[in-house]
Amino acid sequence: MKNLTSNNHQLEVLDTIADSVTEIIANDMLSPEDCWQPTDYLPDLRNNNYIDEVNELRKRASNIPNTVLV
C-alpha cells in the first residue's frame, strides 16, 4: 500500500511540473544541432583517408597522460 501511495505522489508531482518542464525544453534548451558533439572532433569515417586521420590523432594524443584522458 505504501508503494502505491508513493507512486501516486510521484505522479502528482510530475503532473504538477509537466507544463513548466515542457516550456523550459521548448524555450531554453538548445537543440543537438546547435550544441557541439564529441564526434565534431573526430575524423569523419565517411572519408576515404579516415585511417590516416585516426593515426594522426593518435600521434598527437600520445603524450596526453592517462589521468587527463580519464
Side-chain angles (χ1 to χ4, degrees):
M1 186 73 168
K2 183 178 180 180
N3 285 341
L4 184 58
T5 304
S6 178
N7 287 342
N8 287 340
H9 180 69
Q10 291 171 348
L11 290 173
E12 183 181 331
V13 170
L14 290 174
D15 189 48
T16 302
I17 66 171
D19 290 339
S20 297
V21 171
T22 300
E23 184 178 335
I24 289 169
I25 290 171
N27 298 325
D28 298 330
M29 291 189 70
L30 296 173
S31 69
E33 292 81 21
D34 295 332
C35 297
W36 72 271
Q37 300 295 318
T39 54
D40 293 344
Y41 298 97
L42 297 175
D44 187 347
L45 299 180
R46 296 172 293 186
N47 291 338
N48 290 334
N49 65 337
Y50 79 92
I51 293 290
D52 295 333
E53 293 176 10
V54 168
N55 289 333
E56 178 61 28
L57 180 61
R58 286 179 177 162
K59 182 178 169 184
R60 289 185 4 229
S62 66
N63 294 324
I64 299 174
N66 286 338
T67 53
V68 173
L69 293 174
V70 173

